[in-house]
């Protein structure tokens, strides 16, 4: 058996198989109990998935909330895995669980192999991946909030950690660039925190930086910004020409006031490891000591020690949730657990037995936390909210499908023009009006197509389709192009519509910004391909020698 494990292919197969088993175990109790808490934000994220599925390449919602540019503000990488799985899995409940298992599986592999590449130590890498991807907050983000972006970005944080360490110790930048690029594509808020995390590490080491380090920082910036130009350039255009309604957030505050039941588990892990780290500090390498100190810093930043409420109406408010610094502390403490755990285990004669017992204990703790998550959701009002004088709570139970098209959307008018807020619900339910304010209900066929039976000449017809300044549209009436304008509520309006059955088709016109975004994104992707080709060629030539 030992000889078999010396074969790297067999060893990697066993490791990958164990990761799949772990991924299944991390949601086993919830799966068996057929439970899902579809939190208040759940419908918003689910609607983004449906929009993405209907029109994968569009930044605008042309089907449900007609014309809304919410998809321009919503990173799409987090929708790819669930989108692909939805082709094969039609049951919503099974789809969501399959997507969770798949993402945990991918996260375990990323965490293990990035750590393995840096440390060259199996035990440290396996413990790190195991602890990091079974952390309790993941269950909250996915099963409690359906925050697809946050959990997808979480998978790529090991690339940022070990990419940063490689940057500091070996002047290598590509791993850090890839990590930041993928997080940018997944969740902007996590990208902000990850960038601050890297900045803190750089502050510890800036006195050793040379010209090559600063050039590498420029290369990272180039790759991240170019590859994501298709995303951030669209946002710049919309923000420049429109007053956008942003999501409403609570006052900035750290732990413990904004600590929910499930997040406390992450806080407990961090505090325990910070305490144990004091006793192991002298055994840590120089870089591990920095990791420990960074853990202390980000933990303090996530707490009430910082008077975050004083920064509510400043540019710092962009971070929205200071408690999210705890994600970075989970990342670093997971690595420190692996380092300290390997030291302790290696000091034992039968370390493999104790490793198996420790792994089993972590899995049992995760299973217990799943049960606690379910009980907390059932026996509290968490995840429910009063919307327009009624309690709204979204939960999947007994495998029933999610249906969010009939819910009240009054609190989800995110990223529409502020001038459209009074009309948002009408637009959502495909209701326009004429010059006399008479309501007209349209049949929306998707892809920007509206149909109605006009019983009289309409001098002005205000369509249930949101228009954004800076974006050009093509509007056709029964196949013929017509002129349009945006009214004061920023809905597309046409004039002199005659009597009869009318089909109106609205499409987007590509502009200079769109083509610039495509060119920059292509440059970023081609640069990554070129770097990857050079890496493969170098390894090939090394093997040939």
């Amino acid at each position: 058996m030992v000889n078999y494990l010396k074969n790297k292919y067999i060893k990697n197969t066993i490791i990958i198989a164990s990761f799949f088993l772990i991924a299944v175990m991390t949601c086993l109790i919830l799966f068996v109990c057929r439970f899902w808490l579809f939190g208040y934000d759940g419908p918003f994220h689910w609607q983004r998935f449906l929009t993405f599925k209907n029109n994968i390449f569009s930044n605008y919602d042309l089907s449900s909330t007609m014309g809304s540019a919410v998809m321009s503000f919503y990173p799409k990488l987090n929708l790819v895995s669930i989108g692909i799985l939805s082709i094969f899995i039609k049951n919503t409940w099974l789809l969501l669980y399959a997507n969770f298992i798949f993402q945990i599986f991918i996260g375990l592999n990323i965490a293990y192999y990035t750590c393995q590449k840096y440390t060259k130590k199996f035990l440290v890498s396996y413990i790190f991946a195991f602890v990091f991807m079974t952390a309790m907050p993941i269950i909250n983000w996915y099963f409690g909030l359906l925050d697809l972006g946050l959990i997808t970005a979480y998978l790529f944080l090991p690339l940022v950690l070990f990419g940063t360490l490689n940057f500091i110790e070996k002047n290598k930048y590509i791993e850090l660039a890839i990590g930041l690029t993928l997080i940018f594509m997944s969740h902007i808020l996590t990208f902000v925190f990850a960038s601050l995390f890297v900045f803190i590490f750089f502050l510890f080491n800036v006195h050793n930086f040379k010209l090559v380090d600063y050039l590498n920082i420029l290369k990272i910036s180039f790759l991240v910004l170019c590859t994501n130009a298709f995303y951030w350039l669209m946002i710049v255009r919309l923000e420049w020409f429109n007053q956008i309604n942003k999501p409403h957030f609570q006052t900035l505050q750290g732990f413990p006031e904004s600590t929910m039941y499930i997040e406390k588990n992450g806080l407990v892990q961090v505090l325990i490891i910070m305490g144990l780290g004091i006793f192991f500090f002298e055994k840590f390498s120089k870089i591990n000591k920095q990791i420990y100190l960074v853990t202390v810093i980000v933990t303090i930043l996530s707490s009430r020690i910082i008077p975050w409420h004083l920064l509510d109406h400043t540019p710092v408010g962009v971070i929205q949730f200071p408690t999210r610094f705890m994600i970075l502390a989970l990342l670093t403490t997971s690595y420190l657990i692996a380092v300290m755990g390997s030291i302790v285990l290696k000091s034992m004669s039968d370390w493999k037995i104790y490793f198996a017992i420790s792994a089993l204990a972590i899995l049992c703790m995760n299973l217990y936390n799943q049960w606690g998550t379910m009980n907390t959701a059932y026996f509290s009002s968490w995840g429910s909210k009063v919307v327009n004088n009624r309690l709204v709570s979204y939960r999947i139970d007994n495998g029933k499908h999610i249906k969010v098209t009939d819910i009240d959307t009054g609190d989800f008018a995110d990223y529409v023009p502020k001038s459209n807020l009074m009309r948002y619900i009408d637009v959502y339910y495909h209701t326009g009006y004429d010059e006399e304010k008479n309501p007209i209900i349209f049949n929306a066929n998707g892809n920007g197509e509206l149909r109605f039976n006009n019983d009289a000449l309409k001098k002005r017809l205000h369509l249930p389709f949101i228009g954004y300044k800076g974006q050009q549209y093509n509007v056709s009436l029964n196949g013929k192009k017509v002129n349009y304008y945006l009214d004061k509520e920023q809905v597309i309006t046409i004039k002199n519509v005659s009597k009869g059955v009318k089909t109106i088709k609205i499409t987007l016109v590509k502009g200079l910004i769109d083509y610039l975004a495509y060119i920059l994104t292509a440059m970023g992707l081609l640069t990554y391909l070129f770097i990857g080709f050079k890496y493969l060629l170098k390894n090939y030539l090394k093997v040939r020698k």
Side-chain angles (χ1 to χ4, degrees):
M1 181 66 178
V2 174
N3 291 331
Y4 278 118
L5 291 177
K6 289 182 179 179
N7 183 305
K8 66 177 183 179
Y9 298 107
I10 296 176
K11 182 179 179 180
N12 284 330
T13 301
I14 293 173
I15 289 170
I16 292 171
S18 72
F19 286 161
F20 179 76
L21 177 62
I22 292 168
V24 172
M25 293 293 287
T26 55
C27 65
L28 181 63
I29 288 182
L30 296 173
F31 180 82
V32 171
C33 295
R34 302 173 72 83
F35 168 83
W36 194 295
L37 178 68
F38 205 39
Y40 181 67
D41 278 347
F44 175 80
H45 295 294
W46 185 252
Q47 190 63 62
R48 302 292 70 74
F49 161 65
L50 294 178
T51 302
F52 175 80
K53 186 179 177 181
N54 291 332
N55 196 338
I56 189 171
F57 296 111
S58 178
N59 282 326
Y60 294 82
D61 186 347
L62 302 181
S63 299
S64 57
T65 306
M66 302 289 285
S68 169
V70 62
M71 292 301 290
S72 296
F73 293 85
Y74 196 89
K76 299 179 181 63
L77 183 60
N78 58 79
L79 300 172
V80 172
S81 63
I82 193 171
I84 293 173
L85 290 172
S86 69
I87 298 173
F88 308 100
I89 304 173
K90 303 305 179 184
N91 182 285
T92 304
W93 175 74
L94 291 176
L95 171 64
L96 290 167
Y97 271 95
N99 185 58
F100 179 78
I101 293 170
F102 176 76
Q103 291 204 307
I104 296 299
F105 174 72
I106 294 298
L108 285 163
N109 281 277
I110 291 174
Y112 173 78
Y113 285 105
T114 53
C115 187
Q116 171 72 9
K117 186 173 182 293
Y118 173 75
T119 64
K120 305 294 190 294
K121 297 177 180 178
F122 160 76
L123 193 57
V124 172
S125 304
Y126 198 91
I127 295 173
F128 167 70
F130 195 0
V131 173
F132 181 64
M133 289 309 301
T134 56
M136 187 56 194
I138 297 176
I139 293 178
N140 174 39
W141 302 330
Y142 196 84
F143 291 91
L145 303 174
L146 196 64
D147 198 332
L148 300 173
L150 179 55
I151 193 171
T152 304
Y154 187 82
L155 310 183
F156 303 125
L157 284 174
L159 285 166
V160 172
L161 172 60
F162 298 109
T164 302
L165 302 184
N166 278 318
F167 183 98
I168 293 169
E169 296 181 328
K170 304 175 184 178
N171 291 326
K172 294 182 178 180
Y173 69 92
I174 190 62
E175 189 174 4
L176 178 55
I178 292 172
L180 290 173
T181 298
L182 292 172
I183 291 175
F184 199 121
M185 290 179 177
S186 306
H187 197 248
I188 291 300
L189 189 54
T190 304
F191 173 77
V192 172
F193 283 105
S195 300
L196 291 171
F197 178 72
V198 174
F199 179 71
I200 294 170
F201 266 107
F202 283 0
L203 287 180
F204 274 104
N205 298 276
V206 68
H207 60 283
N208 294 323
F209 278 11
K210 299 177 182 177
L211 178 60
V212 65
D213 296 297
Y214 293 106
L215 290 175
N216 284 339
I217 291 174
L218 290 176
K219 291 176 183 177
I220 292 171
S221 302
F222 169 82
L223 286 168
V224 173
L225 292 176
C226 277
T227 309
N228 288 285
F230 72 94
Y231 176 67
W232 64 264
L233 267 177
M234 301 300 107
I235 294 176
V236 169
R237 177 177 64 184
L238 291 168
E239 291 277 9
W240 185 269
F241 292 102
N242 303 270
Q243 286 188 313
I244 301 295
N245 181 52
K246 304 290 179 55
H248 298 289
F249 300 104
Q250 297 176 347
T251 300
L252 291 176
Q253 57 181 340
F255 288 114
E257 289 164 324
S258 58
T259 305
M260 290 185 287
Y261 166 81
I262 303 170
E263 288 181 323
K264 288 180 181 177
N265 291 270
L267 182 59
V268 167
Q269 171 183 314
V270 171
L271 294 178
I272 290 174
I273 300 309
M274 283 173 59
L276 291 174
I278 296 173
F279 300 101
F280 283 83
F281 194 78
E282 291 302 320
K283 295 183 180 181
F284 286 160
S285 65
K286 179 182 176 181
I287 197 67
N288 286 343
K289 288 178 179 177
Q290 285 190 17
I291 293 173
Y292 178 82
L293 293 174
V294 170
T295 303
V296 174
I297 291 171
V298 295
T299 303
I300 291 173
L301 289 173
S302 71
S303 72
R304 284 188 300 166
I305 296 173
I306 307 298
W308 289 110
H309 62 282
L310 300 177
L311 304 173
D312 269 346
H313 303 293
T314 69
V316 177
V318 71
I319 67 172
Q320 300 174 13
F321 308 106
T323 53
R324 293 282 173 85
F325 277 110
M326 192 54 60
I327 297 172
L328 305 173
L330 283 172
L331 172 68
T332 53
T333 54
S334 296
Y335 178 67
L336 292 175
I337 287 172
V339 172
M340 291 186 289
S342 64
I343 292 173
V344 172
L345 288 170
K346 285 294 186 180
S347 67
M348 299 176 177
S349 56
D350 298 322
W351 68 267
K352 294 178 182 178
I353 295 176
Y354 288 102
F355 170 70
I357 293 172
S358 301
L360 183 62
I362 294 173
L363 270 181
C364 289
M365 186 180 298
N366 182 274
L367 292 171
Y368 172 78
N369 286 332
Q370 290 179 50
W371 186 262
T373 300
M374 190 168 59
N375 287 339
T376 302
Y378 270 128
F379 298 114
S380 74
S381 60
W382 185 82
S384 302
K385 186 171 181 178
V386 174
V387 179
N388 289 355
N389 297 319
R390 68 185 181 92
L391 186 66
V392 179
S393 184
Y394 310 100
R395 181 182 289 123
I396 298 179
D397 199 3
N398 296 323
K400 292 180 181 178
H401 286 212
I402 301 170
K403 187 176 184 182
V404 298
T405 53
D406 294 334
I407 65 167
D408 191 309
T409 57
D411 276 6
F412 294 106
D414 295 338
Y415 307 113
V416 301
K418 289 183 178 180
S419 57
N420 184 257
L421 291 178
M422 298 300 293
R423 286 287 318 284
Y424 176 75
I425 295 298
D426 290 336
V427 171
Y428 187 86
Y429 288 107
H430 313 308
T431 303
Y433 61 94
D434 59 19
E435 66 276 7
E436 297 179 357
K437 303 294 183 181
N438 296 315
I440 302 170
I441 297 177
F442 290 77
N443 291 320
N445 299 325
N447 295 319
E449 186 173 286
L450 297 165
R451 184 173 296 176
F452 78 112
N453 188 1
N454 190 18
D455 56 4
L457 174 68
K458 300 291 189 295
K459 295 181 179 179
R460 289 191 308 275
L461 182 60
H462 303 263
L463 304 174
F465 196 103
I466 301 169
Y468 288 83
K469 298 172 184 176
Q471 170 66 57
Q472 296 298 313
Y473 302 87
N474 272 330
V475 182
S476 63
L477 179 63
N478 287 354
K480 295 182 179 179
K481 185 176 178 180
V482 295
N483 294 325
Y484 74 92
Y485 68 94
L486 302 183
D487 67 10
K488 64 180 181 180
E489 294 172 327
Q490 283 193 236
V491 296
I492 290 180
T493 304
I494 58 178
K495 295 181 177 181
N496 300 321
V497 180
S498 60
K499 184 178 179 180
V501 177
K502 303 297 180 183
T503 300
I504 300 167
K505 179 75 173 178
I506 302 172
T507 56
L508 306 173
V509 178
K510 302 292 185 184
L512 178 63
I513 296 295
D514 297 281
Y515 293 114
L516 177 61
Y518 299 152
I519 292 170
L520 291 175
T521 298
M523 287 174 58
L525 292 174
L526 288 173
T527 304
Y528 273 125
L529 288 173
F530 177 71
I531 293 171
F533 175 76
K534 281 181 60 179
Y535 176 79
L536 292 173
L537 182 62
K538 182 180 178 180
N539 284 347
Y540 173 75
L541 294 175
K542 188 185 294 185
V543 172
R544 288 291 300 271
K545 290 181 180 180

